[in-house]
C-alpha cells in the first residue's frame, strides 16, 4: 500500500475514533451527549480495545482490529472530568462544562504520555464548543487551534474554526480553515463534501462585506461584449486567437460554419509556444499547434455567459466586460460556486435576454451575481431561485427588468439575499412561495404591472430599508400561511393598498412609512397585521380596513385617515399603544371596481 493511501486510511480511522469521544451537538437544540460505542452494539460499556497509532491496526491473525482512543494510557481521572463536562454541557451548564474540560486538559498534560494526545485533542475541541456557547470567541478559537495542532487530520476542529472565524467576521481565515477541512474529506460523486454548505455560507457572507475577490480564488473568466451583434441575438464575434478555430466543437448555435475562414498565418502572430499572449494580459491565446481539447480547458475569454459558465469550476469569477451581452435565449442553470459580475459601473454592462425561459436559474449556494443590468423580454421570470435551505445566493447591486412577466421567483426552501437592487416587472417584482426564506435589503421595487412584492404559501420574507412604489396594484401582498416582516420600508404611490394581507398570513411592520397608496394596511380572512412605530396613510381609501376575522394591531403609530374595522379590532388592536389618529386630507371611500380593484377569477382556485 502506498504512503498516500496509508495516510488517508489512518486519517479516516482516527476520525471515526474521535467521533466516539467528542460532544455530539443536536441540530434541534443545544443539548449534547457523549456516546461511547464499540463495534458490537450490545457489548458492555467497559469493554476496551487497544489504540494503535499506526496506519493499520492488526491482530495476531493479520486482521484489522477495532481501535479506540480511550485505551492504552487512559487515566480514569481524565475520563471522569470529560464525562462530567459532557453532563454539564447536556444540562446547558457551559461554565461547568468548560471547567471540567480544562481540568481534564491539565491532567493530560501532567500525564505526559503519547497515548493521551488523542484525548487531549478531544478535550480541547469540547472546550472550544463550550467557550463558543459562552460567547468567548477568542478562547474558542484558541482551543480549536490547539486541537487541530495535536491532530491535524481531524476535521472537527477545522470546521469549528471556520464557523468561529465566520462569526467573528474574519471571512478569509474562515475560508482558509474550511478549504483545508474539505481537503481532508471524501467528496461525493457531485464533488461535494459535508462542509460544502459551510463553504458556500462563508463565501456569501464574505461577499456581503465586500470581500468577494478574496472569497472566489479560482480563475478569472471574461465574457466579451457582443456589441452590435447583441441586438441581432448573437454572441460576441468569434476571435480565433481567443476562441480557437471555429468548427463543430467550438461553434455556438448562432454561428454559420459555412462562412468560417481558416486562420491565416498573420492571425497567429503574437503567440508564444505555450499558447499565452505576448501582450502580457490575463487572457490565454489559442495555440493552433496544440489540440483543441487541451487548449479549451485553458481558455479565459468567452463569447457569452453560458459558454463561460460551462467552462467554469467552483471558485471561479466570470466577469462580463462592458457592453451588451446576449442571453441567446437559454437559461444558465447555476450549480457551481461562482461569482458573475459586470465590469464598470451599473448600467455599463447589460444582458439582453429575449426568451421564454429565465436568464438565471440558481440551484445551489455560494453564488454571487452583482453589478449587472439584466433586461429580459419574454413570458418567464428573469431569475428563478429554487432548492433546499443551502441555496443561499447573493444578488447585489443589479438592475433587473422583465417586460413580460414577474422579475424574480424564489421557491423551495431557498434562502437568497437580494441587496441594493432595482426591480421592475410587467407583473410582480419579487414573488416568494413554498417555504422559502428570502431577505431583501435596500431594494427599489417600482413600476410593476401588478404587485411590488408577493409572499405566498408558507414563505417567510424579511425586507429592510426597501422602497416599493408606483405599482399598478398593491405594494405588498401576503397570502396563504406566509409571513412577511418589513423594517424601515417605504411603500408609496401604488394604485392598491400599501399592504394587503389575507388567508392566514401574518405581516409585521416596524418603522415603516406607508402613504399615498389607494389604501393603507388591509387584513382579510384570518390574517394579522402588526404595526409598530409606523406612519400610516390611506390616501383616497381607508388607512385601516379589516374584514372577516382579519386583525390589525398598531402600537405607537401615526395613523392618518379613516379606519374601518370591527369593534373588537378597535378595542384590542387600535385604541391603545399610544397611537395618534388624524383626519384624512381628502374624502375617503371604498375604491370603485376599476384598475387594481377589478375582480378577476383565479385560475388556481375555484373563486
Amino acid at each position: 500500500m502506498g504512503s498516500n493511501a496509508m495516510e488517508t486510511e489512518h486519517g479516516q480511522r482516527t476520525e471515526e475514533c474521535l467521533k466516539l469521544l467528542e460532544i455530539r451537538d443536536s441540530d434541534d437544540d443545544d443539548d449534547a451527549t457523549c456516546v461511547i460505542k464499540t463495534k458490537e452494539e450490545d457489548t458492555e460499556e467497559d469493554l476496551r480495545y487497544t489504540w494503535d497509532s499506526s496506519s493499520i491496526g492488526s491482530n495476531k491473525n493479520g486482521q484489522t482490529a477495532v481501535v479506540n482512543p480511550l485505551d492504552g494510557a487512559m487515566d480514569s481521572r481524565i475520563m471522569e472530568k470529560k464525562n462530567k463536562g459532557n453532563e454539564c454541557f447536556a444540562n446547558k451548564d457551559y461554565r461547568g462544562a468548560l471547567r471540567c474540560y480544562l481540568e481534564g486538559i491539565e491532567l493530560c498534560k501532567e500525564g505526559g504520555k503519547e497515548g493521551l494526545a488523542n484525548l487531549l485533542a478531544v478535550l480541547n475541541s469540547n472546550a472550544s464548543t463550550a467557550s463558543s456557547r459562552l460567547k468567548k470567541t477568542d478562547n474558542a478559537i484558541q482551543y480549536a487551534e490547539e486541537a487541530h495542532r495535536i491532530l491535524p487530520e481531524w476535521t472537527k476542529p477545522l470546521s469549528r474554526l471556520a464557523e468561529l472565524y465566520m462569526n467573528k467576521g474574519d471571512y478569509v481565515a474562515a475560508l482558509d480553515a474550511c478549504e483545508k477541512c474539505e481537503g481532508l474529506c471524501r467528496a461525493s460523486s457531485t464533488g461535494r463534501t459535508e462542509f460544502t454548505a459551510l463553504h458556500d455560507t462563508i463565501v456569501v457572507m464574505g461577499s456581503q462585506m465586500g470581500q468577494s475577490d478574496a472569497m472566489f480564488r479560482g480563475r478569472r473568466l471574461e465574457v466579451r461584449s457582443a456589441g452590435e451583434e447583441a441586438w441581432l441575438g448573437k454572441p460576441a464575434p468569434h476571435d480565433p486567437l481567443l476562441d480557437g478555430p471555429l468548427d463543430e466543437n467550438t461553434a455556438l448555435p448562432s454561428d454559420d460554419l459555412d462562412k468560417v475562414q481558416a486562420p491565416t498565418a498573420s492571425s497567429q502572430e503574437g503567440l508564444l509556444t505555450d499558447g499565452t499572449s505576448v501582450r502580457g494580459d490575463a487572457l490565454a491565446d489559442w495555440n493552433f499547434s496544440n489540440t483543441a481539447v487541451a487548449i479549451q480547458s485553458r481558455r479565459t475569454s468567452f463569447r457569452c455567459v453560458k459558454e463561460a459558465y460551462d467552462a467554469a469550476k467552483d471558485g471561479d469569477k466570470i466577469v462580463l466586460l462592458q457592453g451588451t451581452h446576449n442571453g441567446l435565449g437559454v437559461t444558465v442553470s447555476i450549480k457551481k460556486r461562482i461569482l458573475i459580475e459586470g465590469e464598470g459601473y451599473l448600467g455599463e454592462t447589460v444582458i439582453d435576454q429575449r426568451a421564454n425561459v429565465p436568464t438565471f436559474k440558481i440551484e445551489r449556494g455560494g453564488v454571487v451575481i452583482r453589478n449587472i443590468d439584466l433586461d429580459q423580454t419574454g413570458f418567464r421570470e428573469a431569475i428563478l431561485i429554487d432548492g433546499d435551505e443551502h441555496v443561499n445566493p447573493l444578488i447585489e447591486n443589479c438592475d433587473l427588468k422583465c417586460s413580460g412577466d414577474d422579475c424574480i421567483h424564489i421557491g423551495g426552501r431557498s434562502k437568497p439575499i437580494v441587496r441594493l437592487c432595482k426591480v421592475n416587472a410587467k407583473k410582480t417584482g419579487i414573488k416568494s412561495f413554498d417555504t422559502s426564506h428570502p431577505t431583501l435589503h435596500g431594494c427599489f421595487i417600482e413600476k410593476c404591472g401588478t404587485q411590488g412584492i408577493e409572499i405566498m404559501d408558507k414563505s417567510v420574507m424579511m425586507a429592510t430599508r426597501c422602497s416599493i412604489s408606483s405599482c399598478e396594484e398593491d405594494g405588498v401582498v401576503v397570502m396563504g400561511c406566509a409571513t412577511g416582516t418589513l423594517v424601515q420600508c417605504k411603500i408609496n404611490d401604488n394604485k392598491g393598498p400599501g399592504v394587503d394581507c389575507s388567508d392566514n398570513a401574518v405581516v409585521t411592520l416596524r418603522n415603516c412609512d406607508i402613504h399615498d397608496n389607494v389604501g393603507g394596511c388591509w387584513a382579510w380572512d384570518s390574517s394579522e397585521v402588526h404595526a409598530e412605530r409606523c406612519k400610516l396613510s390611506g390616501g383616497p381609501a381607508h388607512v385601516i380596513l379589516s374584514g372577516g376575522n382579519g386583525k390589525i394591531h398598531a402600537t405607537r403609530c401615526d395613523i392618518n385617515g379613516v379606519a374601518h374595522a370591527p369593534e373588537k379590532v378597535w378595542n384590542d388592536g387600535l385604541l391603545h399603544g399610544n397611537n395618534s389618529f388624524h383626519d384624512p386630507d381628502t374624502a375617503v371611500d371604498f375604491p370603485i371596481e376599476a384598475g387594481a380593484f377589478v375582480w378577476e377569477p383565479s385560475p388556481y382556485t375555484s373563486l
Side-chain angles (χ1 to χ4, degrees), residues 43-77:
T43 305
E44 291 184 3
E45 196 172 284
D46 60 350
L47 181 61
R48 297 285 190 256
Y49 292 89
T50 300
W51 168 252
D52 184 354
S53 61
S54 64
S55 59
I56 301 178
S58 302
N59 58 23
K60 294 182 180 180
N61 297 324
Q63 298 174 336
T64 300
V66 179
V67 295
N68 192 322
L70 300 182
D71 294 316
M74 181 59 61
D75 190 305
S76 60
R77 293 180 300 163

Side-chain angles (χ1 to χ4, degrees), residues 127-205:
S128 176
T129 302
S131 297
S132 66
R133 296 297 172 88
L134 294 171
K135 310 299 181 184
K136 297 181 178 180
T137 303
D138 291 339
N139 290 344
I141 290 174
Q142 177 184 347
Y143 296 131
E145 286 179 340
E146 179 65 12
H148 172 58
R149 186 193 64 79
I150 297 170
L151 286 182
E153 73 277 13
W154 189 23
T155 60
K156 177 58 71 175
L158 282 170
S159 65
R160 184 163 292 128
L161 278 171
E163 294 175 351
L164 290 168
Y165 279 126
M166 178 178 65
N167 294 335
K168 190 178 179 180
D170 189 347
Y171 301 107
V172 173
L175 187 56
D176 289 341
C178 191
E179 287 183 341
K180 187 181 294 185
C181 186
E182 285 196 295
L184 295 171
C185 296
R186 182 180 299 172
S188 67
S189 59
T190 60
R192 301 190 179 191
T193 72
E194 59 182 302
F195 304 107
T196 296
L198 175 60
H199 192 157
D200 292 346
T201 300
I202 293 170
V203 165
V204 169
M205 293 185 68

Side-chain angles (χ1 to χ4, degrees), residues 81-82 85 95-109 120 123-124 126-128 131 136 139 142-143:
K81 294 295 183 183
K82 184 185 72 66
R95 294 186 184 277
L98 178 60
R99 182 174 59 253
C100 291
Y101 296 141
L102 294 181
E103 290 173 356
I105 289 172
E106 291 302 318
L107 290 173
C108 282
K109 293 179 178 179
L120 183 59
L123 287 169
N124 274 281
N126 287 0
S128 176
S131 297
K136 297 181 178 180
N139 290 344
Q142 177 184 347
Y143 296 131

